[in-house]
Amino acid sequence: MIADRSDNKNALTSGSLDPASSPRAAFLAGVRACGALIMGVIPFAMVCGAAAAAAGFDFHQSFGMSWLVFAGSSQIVATQLYSGGAPAWVVVATGVVVNLRFMMYSAALAPHLRDVTPLQRWLAAYLLTDQAFAVTVARAAEGRAGTTWFYFGIAGALWAFWQAATIAGIILGTLIPASWSLDFVVALTFISVMAPVMKDHSMAVAALCGGVASVLLDLPLKLNLIAAAFIGIASGMITRALWTPRFKSGE
Amino acid sequence: MIVALGVGTFATRLSFLALFARNEPPRRVRRALQYVPPAVLAAIIAPLLFTRPPVESLTPDAARTAAAIVAFLVAWVTRSTLLTIVVGMLVLWGARALVA
């Protein structure tokens, strides 16, 4: 879930200088582009698998979650809330709030996937991730052809690596002693995702307020995270509204 | 529960690709969605920097906080998930070893 990895863009596209106009070439270019991302995806997926196993889910539940949800941050949050005894509706609602960003990606990706069948559209939605989105849209912005098949290539390859690494995490996660504090890997994974998104002061304020609220709020039913998320979002929007110089149209 | 989360997540992904494909999201909604990643991620990270249960109190864990700050800088500069995890864990273990 890296929102913007500009350092990868050149590396990704340099391997295929010929205009990847045929579906096959575009698809393969997408699969190759996945290579630059897997070093971030594999540890994240392993952490998700390990976290689910540690929370008491059996193999089928852990692996099933990775198939059905296929969104690491919400999987981890759901696992933590579940093992903390939160009611099921809070687990689901919090997970969906964590994934609200997909609506933003979905809207941004839609213009690039105009000529696909309904079935392909649903498949594209299922495979939508931060990384596949970021790389595909960056490539399309360069005016390169074959966006649809490039997207299926990179998104499908990411999905396959994600599932394989999740299995490794489920199996290996339970073997590691607690004294290693591997739970902290979760925090580090999220930090690595968050740092590149902090593009301006309103983003920083949103993060600061969300973080502080999440620590200080003591709400029943583990609703803290949802409340903190909305406080963070509101703070970011208010900061932006106050900071942006306005046109003095009324004067 | 897992199925419900899966369906909910799929709905966010499908939203503007198929469900409301004819409409662009309103500007205000788009702006709000921009702040979802920083707000949500910070809300997840922050509690992890405090002393873990069973001592459920507002005691910042110095080793975790130090490791998080270093990790943030590494992530900011290198944008590498793997490097962030490796450096962050080394700082955490190093800080623990120093205190002990």
Side-chain angles (χ1 to χ4, degrees):
Chain A
M1 45 179 293
I2 293 93
D4 180 15
R5 311 202 53 158
S6 48
D7 53 336
N8 284 328
K9 285 174 205 157
N10 293 329
L12 300 173
T13 47
S14 59
S16 49
L17 282 173
D18 55 333
S21 47
S22 83
R24 190 187 147 83
F27 184 84
L28 290 175
V31 173
R32 277 199 302 275
C34 176
L37 302 172
I38 54 174
M39 289 314 280
V41 168
I42 287 176
F44 194 16
M46 288 182 67
V47 167
C48 288
F57 290 111
D58 66 24
F59 182 85
H60 293 101
Q61 288 166 329
S62 305
F63 195 45
M65 176 154 71
S66 142
W67 274 70
L68 285 168
V69 183
F70 185 49
S73 37
S74 65
Q75 284 173 225
I76 288 192
V77 167
T79 334
Q80 285 176 344
L81 287 174
Y82 172 78
S83 55
W89 69 269
V90 174
V91 175
V92 173
T94 309
V96 171
V97 168
V98 170
N99 288 334
L100 278 179
R101 66 185 190 286
F102 289 134
M103 291 182 72
M104 176 171 74
Y105 301 160
S106 176
L109 194 62
H112 300 294
L113 299 180
R114 285 265 178 258
D115 312 318
V116 297
T117 65
L119 186 68
Q120 287 172 335
R121 197 175 283 276
W122 283 61
L123 180 65
Y126 170 68
L127 293 174
L128 183 58
T129 53
D130 305 83
Q131 297 92 334
F133 164 80
V135 176
T136 301
V137 169
R139 180 181 180 276
E142 292 170 4
R144 299 167 62 85
T147 299
T148 304
W149 288 102
F150 178 87
Y151 174 76
F152 280 117
I154 188 169
L158 275 173
W159 181 90
F161 278 110
W162 178 269
Q163 304 303 354
T166 296
I167 296 180
I170 296 170
I171 295 167
L172 297 176
T174 48
L175 304 177
I176 296 168
S179 62
W180 290 17
S181 307
L182 275 195
D183 62 301
F184 195 62
V185 173
V186 173
L188 294 172
T189 308
F190 288 136
I191 287 171
S192 79
V193 173
M194 189 177 74
V197 218
M198 310 281 262
K199 285 181 191 130
D200 60 32
H201 52 265
S202 63
M203 292 284 180
V205 170
L208 200 66
C209 294
V212 170
S214 153
V215 172
L216 295 184
L217 283 176
D218 190 14
L219 298 179
L221 303 176
K222 307 245 168 207
L223 283 166
N224 307 32
L225 189 53
I226 293 186
F230 283 111
I231 289 172
I233 293 165
S235 325
M237 292 182 80
I238 292 166
T239 307
R240 193 195 149 110
L242 292 178
W243 210 289
T244 313
R246 252 162 283 175
F247 294 105
K248 293 182 178 171
S249 51
E251 292 172 28
Chain B
M1 188 186 79
I2 293 172
V3 173
L5 180 59
V7 170
T9 300
F10 188 52
T12 64
R13 287 173 162 144
L14 202 58
S15 56
F16 291 102
L17 273 171
L19 300 181
F20 340 115
R22 310 215 175 275
N23 306 308
E24 286 258 299
R27 232 180 47 187
R28 194 173 281 271
V29 172
R30 215 160 45 204
R31 199 161 284 169
L33 290 175
Q34 279 184 342
Y35 293 104
V36 171
V40 166
L41 293 169
I44 299 172
I45 296 164
L48 298 174
L49 303 184
F50 289 80
T51 307
R52 304 291 286 152
V55 202
E56 181 86 64
S57 61
L58 282 180
T59 319
D61 184 318
R64 282 170 182 266
T65 308
I69 292 169
V70 174
F72 185 86
L73 295 175
V74 171
W76 178 265
V77 174
T78 68
R79 313 238 153 151
S80 158
T81 306
L82 192 67
L83 212 57
T84 306
I85 293 175
V86 170
V87 173
M89 288 313 289
L90 289 177
V91 173
L92 178 68
W93 292 335
R96 288 263 163 85
L98 280 178
V99 171

